[in-house]
Amino acid sequence: MTAPSPQRPASSATSTRHALPIRELALFGGLALVVLTVFATMGPAYSTRMLVEASCYAILALGLTIQWGYAGQFNAGIMGFVALGGFSATFFSIPVNHAFWASDLPGRLGWVLLAMVVVTAIVFGISRLDRIGVPKLLRTILAIVAGLVGYLVVISWLRSVTGDIESQVEFIGGLGLPVWLGWIVGGALAGGVGYFIGHICLGLRSDYLVIATLGIAEIIKAFLKNSDWLTRGTATISPLPWPVPDPGEVGFLTARALYLSVTVVMIAVIFFLLHRAYHAPWGRMIRAIRDNEVSAAAMGKSINRRRQEIFVFGCILMGIGGAVLTSFNGLFDPQGYLPLNHTFLVLVMVILGGPGNNLGTLFGAVLVYVIWIMSGPMALAVMHAIVALGSHWFDWQPGNLDSRALQARVFVIGLLILLVLRFAPRGLIPEKVAHHN
Amino acid sequence: MPLLEAVDVHGGYGGMNILNGVNMTIEADEIGVIVGPNGAGKSTMLKAVFGLLTITQGEIRLRGKPITNLSPHKLVEMGMGFVPQEKNIFPSLSVEENLEMGAFLKPATVSRLKAQIYEFFPPLLEKRRQPAGELSGGQRQMVAMGRALMNEPSVLLLDEPTAGLSPRYMNEIFERVKTINAAGVGVLMVEQNAKQALRIAHKGFVLAAGQNRFSDTGEALLNDPQVAKSFLGG
Amino acid sequence: MTPIIDVRNIRKSFGGLTVIDDCSIQVSKGSITGMIGPNGAGKSTLFNIIAGSLAPDSGEVLLNGQAITQLSANQRFHRGLLRTFQIAHEFSHLTSLENLMMVPPLQEGENLFSTWLRPGEVRRQEAEVRRRALEVLDFVGLSHVRNELAGNLSGGQKKLLELGRTMMTDAEVVLLDEIAAGVNRTLLGDLMGNIERLNRELGYTFLVIEHDMDMIGRLCDPVIVLAQGQVMMEGSIGEIQNNPEVIEAYFGSETA
Amino acid sequence: DVKVGFLGGFTGGIESLTPPIFDGAKLAVQEINDQGGLLDGEKMVMPSGDTTCSDASAASNAADRLVNSEQVTAIVGALCTGATIAAANNAAIPGGVVMVSPASTAPAVTDLDDDDLVFRTVPSDAFQGEQLAKLLLSKGIEDVAVTYVNNDYGQGLDDAFTKTFEAEGGSISANLAHEDNRADYRSEIGKLSSGGSQTLVVLAYADTSGQTILRQAYESGAFTQYAGGDGMVGNALVDAVGADVLEGMIATRPGSPDVPGSDIFNDLAEKADIDPSAVFAAQSYDAAFLLALAIEKNGSADREGLSKALRDVATAPGETILPGEWEKAKKLIGEGKEINYEGASGSAEFDDNGDVPGIVVEMAVEDGKFVTKGAIDE
Amino acid sequence: MNELIYFFNYVVVAGSVTGCIYAIGAVGVTLIYSILRFAHFAHADMMTLGTLAVLLLTLAFPHAGDPLGLPTAIVMLPVAMAFTSLVAVGIDRAFYQPLRSHGVKPIVMVIASLGVTLMLQGLIRLFAGTGSQNLYVDARKEIFRIDVPGVTRPIILTEPQVILFVITIVAVVGLHLFLTRARLGKAMRAMSDNPDLARASGINTRLIITLTWVIAGSLATIAGTLLSLDVAFKPDLSFFLLLPIFAAAIVGGVGHPYGAIAGGFLVGFAETLAVFNWSVLLRPLRDSLPTWLELPSNLALVGTEYKIVVPFFILVAVLIWRPTGIFKGKVI
Ligand SMILES: Nc1ncnc2c1ncn2[C@@H]1O[C@H](COP(=O)(O)OP(=O)(O)OP(=O)(O)O)[C@@H](O)[C@H]1O
Ligand SMILES: Nc1ncnc2c1ncn2[C@@H]1O[C@H](COP(=O)(O)OP(=O)(O)OP(=O)(O)O)[C@@H](O)[C@H]1O
Ligand SMILES: [Mg+2]
Ligand SMILES: [Mg+2]
C-alpha cells in the first residue's frame, strides 16, 4: 500500500519522448547565457578560470553520479579522493629533492616500509592460525597483541625517520615527471583506496556508507596534513607545473584556455564511456542492484563485485578530477580540502543536475559552480544594500559586514539544496526511464 | 440509506487515471466482493474509498455522508477498517504490538480483543513476542487481518485477505467474514479466490480496466458462464 | 537416477526456534513436485536455503549430485536454479520489460569493457534479449504495462512478473513460491498450461509451493507435505487429500 | 578610481581576526581619500576577496578575481600564509601585481620566487618565536610545555620558539600540536601537564583553540603561568577566560610602541572607533598606506614599476612620512622629493626578500587587560 | 597514586564528559532515525541553535539562576528547548514534510538535512558572529577540587560536569520509559515501520512527527548547552561533533537508545584512551626497569592530531565485527 506517489517518471518521460529535447536545450541555453554574463562582467581571464574549475568539478560530479545516481551508493568522502588525486599530481610533477636522495634517508625509509609489510604479514599470518588448529580466541588475542606491538614499534621507527627527513631535508620532494602521469596515478590511487573502502563498507547499509566515507575522507586529510615529511603538511607546496604553458609564459587567458581544452577533452571521453556503459545492459544491471539486492542476487548477478566495480570506477574519476583541479590551482595544501567545497558542493551539483543523468550532472556542475563563485560578491552587494537601507531607517550598524555576508553564501547553498529537492526532486534533467516499443 | 456508496469514482496515481467511473453500493448487512483481472483497479478502488488516493471526480459516501478525500485516520474514527494487499504489517513491531496498533483509538478494549484474535489464529499466540517481519507469508496475513479487527470496525475493507493462507485458514476467514457480517458489519473485499468469495457475497462487482463490467448478486455472477470463464477461471 | 535436488538433513533455527528440523527431500528430474503445508511450516525457509538466500545451520543441498551448500545465490542461479519470491521482489524502478531483460546471465553488455570495446555485439545480444522478454511479457499477460515501472504494478501483476523472470533463461530447476496467490484464476489457468509445457517440452523441473489445491491437483505429482519443519508425508494428491493427519493439520476438519 | 584589493580570511579559521585587519586598511583608504585622494584626485577604493584562510583554491580564486576582474593595481593581503602563497603564485605574480601582506608570518613567504612582487609589513614568525623564547628565559622561566595550532602559523612559530628556547638552555617538557576548533582539549592538556611544567605556552588563536585550551588548563589546575604569541593577544580572551586566571600572562606581538607612528595610529584608530591594539590592524594600515604612496610615486594606476616605487617610498633615505600624513607625502612626491614612510607598526624597511626587520613587543595581562610593556631588546 | 589520580582526571572524567555529550547527541540522532528513517545531519546544528537560544536568554537575564543556585543557562534550558523544538517542527513542515509526502528515498532526506545544516550554519553565524562565548555570563564556573589523602593531585570535577551526568541519566531513562511504555511511543515506532499502515490504523502521524521533533530538538538543546557550559559556545563547534555522534549512534546500533549511550561512551573513551600517554602510568615502575629498557616519554597510540580519526576506526572495527552495531540495530 502506498500513498499516491507523484514519482511517476515513466509517464513524464513518456510525454516528452519524441519531441525535441526542449527542456535540455532551454536549460543549456540558459546556462550559456549565464556564463556569457559572467564573461561580460568579470572579464575573460577570470571567467575562463571559472570554467576550468567548473570542468574539474564536472569530472568529480560525474564520479559521484556514477556512484550515487547509477548505483545508489552515497559517497560523502569525495574530498578524500580529491586530496589523494591532488597529492599524486603534486608528487609526480614537482622537482626532485636531490638532498633527500643523496642522503641515507631513502634507505631508512625503505626499511621502515619493509618492516610495515613484514608486520602486516605476521599479523595476517597469525589471524590464519585457526586453520592449523589454534583456538579462535587465542588466535584473536595473539593477533591483537602482535598487531599492537608491531604497530608501536613500526610507528616509533617511522617517527624517527620522518623526523630526520623533516629536520634534514624538509621533505622528500617529488619525482619531476610529467604531470599527466600524476593524474593517471592519482586516479589509480583513489581507485585503490576506493577498493579498500568498498571492501569494508559496501556490504553495509547506505547510511553507514555515508558516515564511513565521511570519516575516511577526514582520515586521508589528517594523514596528508600531518605527514610533513611527505607533503610538507601545512607549509604547502607551490607552484605546481601544468601540462600546458602556464600564465607566466603566455598570459592568463591563453594558458587557461589551453588548460580548459585539456579538461574538456577529458570530460568528453569520460562522458562517452559513461554513456555507452549506462545504456548497455551494464547500466540496467546496476540500476537493478540499486533497487533490490536480494532479487538481483537471485537473478544471478554478483552484487558485491558490481558494487565494488562501480565504487572504484567513481573513485577513479574523483581522483583524476582532484588531480586536475589541484594542478590547476597550482598549490597543494592538505588543509585546503574542505568538506563544504569538495564534498557538499559536488553533491549539490549532482542533485541539481539530476543524479544518474550524465548530461544533467554536467549541467549541474557548471551552473552550481558559477553560482558558488558568484555568490560571494553577490552576497556582499546584497548585504551592503540591506545595511544601507537598515542604517537609513533604523540606524542599524552591524559589524563584520563582509564576514557576515559571506556566511550568507553557506546559507544560499543550503537553501539551494532544499529548493531543488522540493521542486525538482530528481534534478533539473532527471534520469531517464528506458522505453522500448 | 446504504452503508457505503461510491458514485462514478475517477482517480489514480499522479495524474494518470486508473479508475474511470466506478459505482458500488453496499448496505450495512451486506458483504460485497470485488473480482477482476490483475491490474483492473480493485486495490486502487479500495484505496480510493479509504482516502489513500486523490479522487478527481465522483463521490464516496458513508451512511450518506460524503467522505471523499477524507484522511484515513478520520475514517478510522468513523469506524472503517482496512487490510491492504501489500505492506500490511509493521515489520519491526512484535505481533502483539501490531495488534495493539490496530486498537490505537480504543485502548480500553485491547486485552479483550487481543484474546479473541489469538483464539482465532492460534499460531499468532506462539509468536506474539516476535517481530512481525520475521513471520511466514501466511502468518503475516493473519496479523494483518487481526490488526484490522482490533478496532471493531463497522465497515471493513479487505484486499485479498486469504492470499497465502492455507486452505484451513482460508475457509476460516470466509467463515469469520460471515460471522462478523452477521453481527452488522458491512464488508467490502477484493478476492481472487473468487468462487468461494462470491458464494458468501451478497453483492459482487466485476471490475475490468477501471470500470464496472458486471454487478449483481454473488450468486448470479457465479452462475453467469461468461463471468466464470473470463474472470473466475472457468 | 539421482534426484536433481537433494536436500539432506537440513536444520535451521532462528534464535532458538527451530524452523527446519532435520528435513530431507528429493526432487526428481523432470517432475513437477508440489509442496504444501500449514502456514509457518517452513516451506519458504526451505526454499531460501535451497536457493542460497539463507545458510542452513547444518545439512547439505545437492544439485545434480553436486554439493552447492557453499555457493552463493547468484552462483546457484548460474547452475540453473531459479526461484520466485512469495512476497514479490521486483525491481521497482525498472520497467516491467527491463525487469525481464536484466535476467539472462552472461550478457556481453554487462561487462564494462565490452560496452566500450564491442558495442556491436552488445547491441545484437540486446535485441535478442528484448525479443525474448517481449514474448514472456505476452505470456504472462503484462505486455500492456511493459513500460510501466514495476513498482507501480498491482499486487498480482508483480507476482506475474516474478513468474516471468524464471522464463527468461534456460533453467534446470524452477522454485515457485505461491505464484497463484493474488493471480486471477482465469489467467492462472493459462499459466498452468505453460508450466506444463515448459516441463514437458523443455524438461524444466519445478518445485511448487502452493495453497491452491486446484493448482496442486492439476500440476503436481508427487506432493510433499511439510509440517513443523519436517516432512509429514509424500505422495500423490489423492493420497494426501485422504490422509487424516494432513486433513487435520492443513485442510481443517470441515473440508477435504 | 584606483583599486587596491584586500584579501582576507572573512570566513574560516581566522574569521574573527579578519574584520579588524580590514578595518585597519580601510582606515588608511579613508584618510587618503579625505586628504585629496590618489594621483589627480582619484579615489582609492578597496574591493575585498575572501580567501577562507585555509582553502588554497578559494584564495587563488579570490586573488584572481581581484587581479583579472577588478583589475586592481595592488593588493593588501592575504593574511594566512597558505592563502598568500596561493594568491601570489596563481594570480598576483603571473599578473604582475604587488602584494603586501600585513599578517602572513610564516617563514615560507621569504623564499617565494616572486619577481620582487610580494612584501609584508609583519616580521617573520622566525623572529617572533625567538623573541618569545628569550623573553621567557629572561624572566627566569626555564621549563615549559608548548602547544601550537596545527597550521603554518602555529608550526612556524613553534619551530622558532623551540629552537631558541632549547639552544639557550631552557627545557621543553612537552611540545604538542593541536587541531583548531575542537570542543575539548582535555586530553591534550593531560599530555602537556604530564611533564610537570608549570608554564604553558600556547601558540594559537585567541578566538578558537587558544581560549578553550587556557580555560581548560586553568580548570585542570596543572599550570600556574601562561604565555602566548600574537594570536593570543586580545582583550576578548581575558574577558572570556577570566582576568584573575590570566593575570600575569606573558605574550608577544609584532609592532613597535617606540616608533612615533604608533601613537598617531592609535589616535586615528580610536577616532574611527577601531581597536588599535587589534592584531595586525596597524600592519594592515601600513600596507594600504604604503601601496598608496607607491602608486602616487609611480605616477599612475599601472602595475608596471610599482614594486620599485614601493621600495622607494618605504625605505630610507627620504623625508619621513608618518601615518596620517598623506597630504604632506603627496605634496613631496609631487615635488619629486624622496620620502620614507615610518609606519604604525614599524619602519617598513623592506629587505631583498620583501621582509621587514622585526620589532616584537612584550605584552602582559595586568588588571584584566593586555598592556604593552615595551619592545624586547635584541 | 598521583598517576592514578592523573588517569582519573584525564581519562575517566574526560572520557565520561565526552561520552555523555556524544551519547545525548546520538540518542537524538537515533530517535529521528528510527522514526523518520533517515540520518539527520542537521542534528549538530540544532544543538548549536538550542545553545544559541540559551546564550541569548542568559545574556538577557544573567542572574536568573542565582536564587536556585544553578547556572543561569540551566534555568533557561526549558525555554530554549521549547524554542528549538518549535524551530525543528517548523523545519520539518517546511522542508522534510513535502519530501516525505513525495515518498522520496531516505538518502534524499539525508541530503535535505545536509541542506538544512548549511542553512542553519549560515544563519547562526549571520546572527551570532563567529567568535566563541562563555555561557557563564557574569558568573564563574564552580570547580570542585577533591583532595585525596596522601596524594598531591586533587580529583577535579566542575559544576557543569556534575549537571551533565545527572541530566544524561534522567534523559535516557525518561526516553526509554516513554518509548516502551507509552502508547504514543509505540505509535512512533509503528509510524517508522510503515507510515501508510499507521495512518490506516488511525494513528495521527502528524502528531507523532511533531512529537519526534520536539523530543529531538529538546535533546539537542540539552546536549549543546551542557557541552557549551563545559567548554564554550561556538557557532561551529557542533560540526566537529557531528561525526563522532553519528559514529556513536551507528556503533551502538541505529535505532537503539541504550545502544546510542553505549556507543557514545565507547567513542568518547576510545578517543581519550587512544591519545592518552600510557607512559605516565608506567612511570612509578621507572626505577625498577632494567637499564637497557628506557621508558619512552610518549606511549600514546595516536598523536592528538589524529584524535579525529579515532571514532572512525571504532566505527569500522565495530561494523566489521558486528554489522548491526553493538545492540543489534533493530528499531528501538
Ligand atoms: N528471519 C526469521 N526470524 C525468525 N523466525 C523466522 C524467520 N523467518 C521465518 N521465521 C519463522 O519460521 C517459520 C517458517 O516460516 P516460513 O516462511 O518458512 O513458512 P511457510 O511454510 O513458507 O509459511 P506460509 O505458507 O505462511 O508462507 C515461521 O514460524 C516463521 O515465523
Ligand atoms: N503506485 C502506483 N503508481 C502508478 N500506478 C499504479 C500504482 N499502483 C498501481 N498502479 C496501476 O494501477 C493499475 C491498477 O492497480 P491495482 O493495484 O488497483 O490492481 P488490482 O486490480 O488490485 O490488481 P491485482 O489483482 O493484481 O491486485 C495497475 O495497472 C497498476 O499498474
Ligand atoms: Mg490488488
Ligand atoms: Mg511461505
Side-chain angles (χ1 to χ4, degrees), chain A residues 2 8, chain B residues 13 18 37-44 85 160 192, chain C residues 148 152-157 182:
Chain A
T2 31
R8 289 194 50 87
Chain B
Y13 306 90
I18 302 291
N38 294 115
K42 304 181 296 294
S43 304
T44 308
Q85 181 177 12
E160 308 207 12
Q192 292 293 6
Chain C
E148 186 68 70
N152 292 342
L153 296 183
S154 78
Q157 289 170 330

Short mmCIF file of all heavy atoms in Angstrom, two decimals, chain A residues 2 8, chain B residues 13 18 37-44 85 160 192, chain C residues 148 152-157 182, ligand 2:
data_model
loop_
_atom_site.label_atom_id
_atom_site.label_comp_id
_atom_site.label_asym_id
_atom_site.label_seq_id
_atom_site.Cartn_x
_atom_site.Cartn_y
_atom_site.Cartn_z
N THR A 2 0.69 2.04 -0.96
CA THR A 2 1.47 3.27 -0.97
C THR A 2 0.54 4.45 -1.11
O THR A 2 -0.49 4.37 -1.76
CB THR A 2 2.45 3.32 -2.15
OG1 THR A 2 1.85 2.61 -3.22
CG2 THR A 2 3.77 2.73 -1.80
N ARG A 8 6.30 9.71 -10.84
CA ARG A 8 5.91 8.92 -11.99
C ARG A 8 6.78 9.28 -13.17
O ARG A 8 6.32 9.85 -14.14
CB ARG A 8 4.44 9.14 -12.30
CG ARG A 8 3.54 8.49 -11.26
CD ARG A 8 2.15 8.41 -11.74
NE ARG A 8 2.09 7.84 -13.08
CZ ARG A 8 2.03 6.56 -13.32
NH1 ARG A 8 2.03 5.72 -12.35
NH2 ARG A 8 1.98 6.14 -14.56
N TYR B 13 -3.07 7.56 -9.87
CA TYR B 13 -1.80 7.95 -9.26
C TYR B 13 -1.14 9.02 -10.09
O TYR B 13 -0.90 8.81 -11.28
CB TYR B 13 -0.88 6.74 -9.17
CG TYR B 13 -1.50 5.57 -8.48
CD1 TYR B 13 -2.21 4.61 -9.20
CD2 TYR B 13 -1.41 5.42 -7.11
CE1 TYR B 13 -2.79 3.53 -8.56
CE2 TYR B 13 -1.98 4.35 -6.47
CZ TYR B 13 -2.68 3.40 -7.20
OH TYR B 13 -3.25 2.34 -6.56
N ILE B 18 -6.70 5.61 -13.11
CA ILE B 18 -6.81 4.15 -13.11
C ILE B 18 -8.29 3.79 -13.03
O ILE B 18 -8.76 2.86 -13.65
CB ILE B 18 -6.08 3.56 -11.88
CG1 ILE B 18 -4.62 3.99 -11.89
CG2 ILE B 18 -6.23 2.06 -11.85
CD1 ILE B 18 -3.77 3.40 -12.96
N PRO B 37 -9.61 -9.07 -13.27
CA PRO B 37 -8.26 -9.45 -13.65
C PRO B 37 -7.22 -8.62 -12.90
O PRO B 37 -7.54 -7.60 -12.29
CB PRO B 37 -8.20 -9.17 -15.15
CG PRO B 37 -9.35 -8.27 -15.44
CD PRO B 37 -10.37 -8.51 -14.39
N ASN B 38 -6.00 -9.04 -12.98
CA ASN B 38 -4.92 -8.31 -12.30
C ASN B 38 -4.73 -6.95 -12.97
O ASN B 38 -4.71 -6.85 -14.17
CB ASN B 38 -3.62 -9.09 -12.39
CG ASN B 38 -3.69 -10.38 -11.61
OD1 ASN B 38 -3.63 -11.46 -12.19
ND2 ASN B 38 -3.88 -10.26 -10.31
N GLY B 39 -4.61 -5.97 -12.12
CA GLY B 39 -4.39 -4.63 -12.65
C GLY B 39 -5.68 -3.94 -13.05
O GLY B 39 -5.65 -2.88 -13.68
N ALA B 40 -6.80 -4.51 -12.66
CA ALA B 40 -8.07 -3.92 -13.07
C ALA B 40 -8.36 -2.64 -12.30
O ALA B 40 -9.15 -1.81 -12.73
CB ALA B 40 -9.19 -4.92 -12.85
N GLY B 41 -7.75 -2.50 -11.14
CA GLY B 41 -8.02 -1.32 -10.33
C GLY B 41 -8.78 -1.66 -9.06
O GLY B 41 -9.31 -0.77 -8.39
N LYS B 42 -8.78 -2.92 -8.68
CA LYS B 42 -9.52 -3.32 -7.50
C LYS B 42 -8.90 -2.71 -6.24
O LYS B 42 -9.60 -2.07 -5.43
CB LYS B 42 -9.52 -4.86 -7.38
CG LYS B 42 -10.07 -5.55 -8.61
CD LYS B 42 -10.09 -7.07 -8.46
CE LYS B 42 -8.72 -7.69 -8.32
NZ LYS B 42 -7.87 -7.58 -9.51
N SER B 43 -7.61 -2.90 -6.11
CA SER B 43 -6.95 -2.34 -4.92
C SER B 43 -7.04 -0.83 -4.94
O SER B 43 -7.22 -0.18 -3.90
CB SER B 43 -5.48 -2.73 -4.88
OG SER B 43 -5.36 -4.13 -4.93
N THR B 44 -6.90 -0.29 -6.12
CA THR B 44 -6.99 1.16 -6.24
C THR B 44 -8.34 1.66 -5.76
O THR B 44 -8.44 2.69 -5.09
CB THR B 44 -6.75 1.56 -7.71
OG1 THR B 44 -5.56 0.96 -8.16
CG2 THR B 44 -6.65 3.05 -7.86
N GLN B 85 -3.41 -4.87 0.54
CA GLN B 85 -2.92 -6.08 -0.11
C GLN B 85 -1.44 -6.31 0.16
O GLN B 85 -1.02 -7.42 0.45
CB GLN B 85 -3.16 -5.94 -1.63
CG GLN B 85 -2.72 -7.15 -2.43
CD GLN B 85 -3.04 -6.99 -3.91
OE1 GLN B 85 -3.39 -5.91 -4.37
NE2 GLN B 85 -2.94 -8.06 -4.65
N GLU B 160 -7.74 -8.88 -0.66
CA GLU B 160 -7.20 -10.24 -0.75
C GLU B 160 -6.75 -10.78 0.60
O GLU B 160 -5.58 -11.11 0.78
CB GLU B 160 -6.07 -10.28 -1.77
CG GLU B 160 -6.52 -9.68 -3.09
CD GLU B 160 -5.77 -10.24 -4.28
OE1 GLU B 160 -5.07 -11.25 -4.13
OE2 GLU B 160 -5.91 -9.67 -5.36
N GLN B 192 -9.29 -13.04 -5.10
CA GLN B 192 -9.01 -13.83 -6.29
C GLN B 192 -9.51 -15.25 -6.12
O GLN B 192 -9.69 -15.96 -7.11
CB GLN B 192 -7.50 -13.83 -6.60
CG GLN B 192 -6.94 -12.51 -7.05
CD GLN B 192 -7.44 -12.03 -8.40
OE1 GLN B 192 -8.33 -12.65 -9.02
NE2 GLN B 192 -6.92 -10.92 -8.87
N GLU C 148 5.76 0.34 -17.87
CA GLU C 148 5.41 0.86 -16.55
C GLU C 148 6.50 0.42 -15.57
O GLU C 148 7.05 -0.67 -15.68
CB GLU C 148 4.05 0.28 -16.14
CG GLU C 148 3.48 0.82 -14.86
CD GLU C 148 3.08 2.29 -14.96
OE1 GLU C 148 2.10 2.60 -15.65
OE2 GLU C 148 3.79 3.11 -14.36
N ASN C 152 5.04 0.19 -9.74
CA ASN C 152 3.67 0.69 -9.86
C ASN C 152 2.69 -0.39 -10.30
O ASN C 152 1.53 -0.08 -10.54
CB ASN C 152 3.62 1.83 -10.88
CG ASN C 152 4.35 3.06 -10.38
OD1 ASN C 152 4.61 3.18 -9.18
ND2 ASN C 152 4.70 3.95 -11.27
N LEU C 153 3.15 -1.61 -10.42
CA LEU C 153 2.22 -2.65 -10.84
C LEU C 153 1.31 -3.04 -9.68
O LEU C 153 1.60 -2.78 -8.52
CB LEU C 153 2.99 -3.88 -11.31
CG LEU C 153 3.87 -3.68 -12.54
CD1 LEU C 153 4.51 -5.01 -12.93
CD2 LEU C 153 3.05 -3.14 -13.70
N SER C 154 0.21 -3.66 -10.01
CA SER C 154 -0.67 -4.15 -8.96
C SER C 154 -0.06 -5.40 -8.34
O SER C 154 0.88 -5.99 -8.88
CB SER C 154 -2.03 -4.49 -9.55
OG SER C 154 -1.98 -5.72 -10.22
N GLY C 155 -0.59 -5.78 -7.18
CA GLY C 155 -0.04 -6.91 -6.45
C GLY C 155 0.07 -8.16 -7.31
O GLY C 155 1.11 -8.82 -7.35
N GLY C 156 -0.99 -8.45 -8.01
CA GLY C 156 -0.99 -9.65 -8.82
C GLY C 156 -0.02 -9.54 -9.99
O GLY C 156 0.65 -10.50 -10.35
N GLN C 157 0.03 -8.36 -10.58
CA GLN C 157 0.95 -8.18 -11.70
C GLN C 157 2.39 -8.40 -11.28
O GLN C 157 3.20 -8.94 -12.03
CB GLN C 157 0.77 -6.76 -12.27
CG GLN C 157 -0.54 -6.60 -13.02
CD GLN C 157 -0.82 -5.13 -13.38
OE1 GLN C 157 -0.40 -4.22 -12.66
NE2 GLN C 157 -1.55 -4.92 -14.45
N GLY C 182 -3.09 -14.23 -5.33
CA GLY C 182 -3.28 -12.90 -5.90
C GLY C 182 -3.37 -12.88 -7.42
O GLY C 182 -3.51 -11.81 -8.00
N1 LIG F 2 1.56 3.48 -7.04
C1 LIG F 2 1.14 3.37 -8.32
N2 LIG F 2 1.55 4.26 -9.22
C2 LIG F 2 1.15 4.17 -10.50
N3 LIG F 2 0.36 3.23 -10.99
C3 LIG F 2 -0.07 2.29 -10.14
C4 LIG F 2 0.29 2.32 -8.77
N4 LIG F 2 -0.28 1.27 -8.17
C5 LIG F 2 -0.99 0.62 -9.12
N5 LIG F 2 -0.87 1.23 -10.31
C6 LIG F 2 -1.50 0.81 -11.57
O1 LIG F 2 -2.87 0.81 -11.40
C7 LIG F 2 -3.45 -0.30 -12.04
C8 LIG F 2 -4.43 -0.95 -11.08
O2 LIG F 2 -3.74 -1.39 -9.92
P1 LIG F 2 -4.47 -2.13 -8.73
O3 LIG F 2 -3.46 -2.39 -7.70
O4 LIG F 2 -5.65 -1.39 -8.36
O5 LIG F 2 -4.92 -3.51 -9.43
P2 LIG F 2 -5.71 -4.69 -8.82
O6 LIG F 2 -6.99 -4.73 -9.51
O7 LIG F 2 -5.73 -4.61 -7.36
O8 LIG F 2 -4.85 -5.90 -9.31
P3 LIG F 2 -4.37 -7.21 -8.51
O9 LIG F 2 -5.44 -8.19 -8.57
O10 LIG F 2 -3.23 -7.67 -9.33
O11 LIG F 2 -4.01 -6.81 -7.15
C9 LIG F 2 -2.33 -1.19 -12.48
O12 LIG F 2 -2.24 -1.17 -13.88
C10 LIG F 2 -1.09 -0.59 -11.90
O13 LIG F 2 -0.06 -0.58 -12.85
#
